[in-house]
Amino acid sequence: MPAAFDLELQRVTTDVGNLLRRWVQEAEMKPGSKVVRAHVVDGAEAQKPKTVFLPVSLPASTPPVQAPNIRIELQRGPTVVTVT
């Protein structure tokens, strides 16, 4: 049983990795995409810390919307319970 679980976990992990790779490639191919690529380096270059700033635009904040009250009514036989 543990071997079958390990095989299934490996399959799911591979599927997720392949799907993520596909999504990234599709995003990179879109015209005007702003996908940031990271380059892997070895040796002395890898040990130099670099600070990277990525500007992120956020939508303007909006005031919270007043949600209507929630009312739940449960009925079983003659008994009715209402929660508001």
Side-chain angles (χ1 to χ4, degrees), residues 65-71:
V65 177
Q66 181 64 33
N69 291 333
I70 298 174
R71 181 173 182 261

Short mmCIF file of all heavy atoms in Angstrom, two decimals, residues 65-71:
data_model
loop_
_atom_site.label_atom_id
_atom_site.label_comp_id
_atom_site.label_asym_id
_atom_site.label_seq_id
_atom_site.Cartn_x
_atom_site.Cartn_y
_atom_site.Cartn_z
N VAL A 65 -19.10 46.84 1.44
CA VAL A 65 -20.51 46.80 1.09
C VAL A 65 -21.28 46.20 2.26
O VAL A 65 -20.86 45.20 2.84
CB VAL A 65 -20.73 45.94 -0.17
CG1 VAL A 65 -22.20 45.82 -0.51
CG2 VAL A 65 -19.96 46.53 -1.34
N GLN A 66 -22.38 46.82 2.62
CA GLN A 66 -23.20 46.29 3.70
C GLN A 66 -23.98 45.09 3.18
O GLN A 66 -24.83 45.23 2.30
CB GLN A 66 -24.18 47.37 4.21
CG GLN A 66 -25.05 46.92 5.35
CD GLN A 66 -24.25 46.59 6.60
OE1 GLN A 66 -23.23 47.19 6.87
NE2 GLN A 66 -24.73 45.64 7.38
N ALA A 67 -23.65 43.93 3.68
CA ALA A 67 -24.33 42.71 3.25
C ALA A 67 -25.67 42.58 3.97
O ALA A 67 -25.81 42.99 5.12
CB ALA A 67 -23.47 41.50 3.55
N PRO A 68 -26.66 42.02 3.27
CA PRO A 68 -27.95 41.82 3.94
C PRO A 68 -27.81 40.76 5.04
O PRO A 68 -26.89 39.95 5.02
CB PRO A 68 -28.85 41.33 2.82
CG PRO A 68 -27.94 40.78 1.79
CD PRO A 68 -26.65 41.56 1.90
N ASN A 69 -28.69 40.82 6.00
CA ASN A 69 -28.67 39.84 7.08
C ASN A 69 -28.90 38.44 6.53
O ASN A 69 -29.64 38.25 5.57
CB ASN A 69 -29.74 40.16 8.13
CG ASN A 69 -29.39 41.41 8.89
OD1 ASN A 69 -28.24 41.77 9.02
ND2 ASN A 69 -30.41 42.09 9.39
N ILE A 70 -28.27 37.48 7.17
CA ILE A 70 -28.44 36.08 6.77
C ILE A 70 -29.45 35.44 7.71
O ILE A 70 -29.37 35.60 8.93
CB ILE A 70 -27.09 35.33 6.84
CG1 ILE A 70 -26.11 35.95 5.86
CG2 ILE A 70 -27.28 33.85 6.55
CD1 ILE A 70 -24.72 35.39 5.93
N ARG A 71 -30.37 34.72 7.12
CA ARG A 71 -31.41 34.06 7.91
C ARG A 71 -31.46 32.60 7.49
O ARG A 71 -31.59 32.28 6.31
CB ARG A 71 -32.77 34.71 7.65
CG ARG A 71 -33.89 34.11 8.44
CD ARG A 71 -35.17 34.94 8.23
NE ARG A 71 -36.24 34.41 9.01
CZ ARG A 71 -37.19 33.61 8.54
NH1 ARG A 71 -37.21 33.28 7.27
NH2 ARG A 71 -38.14 33.17 9.34
#
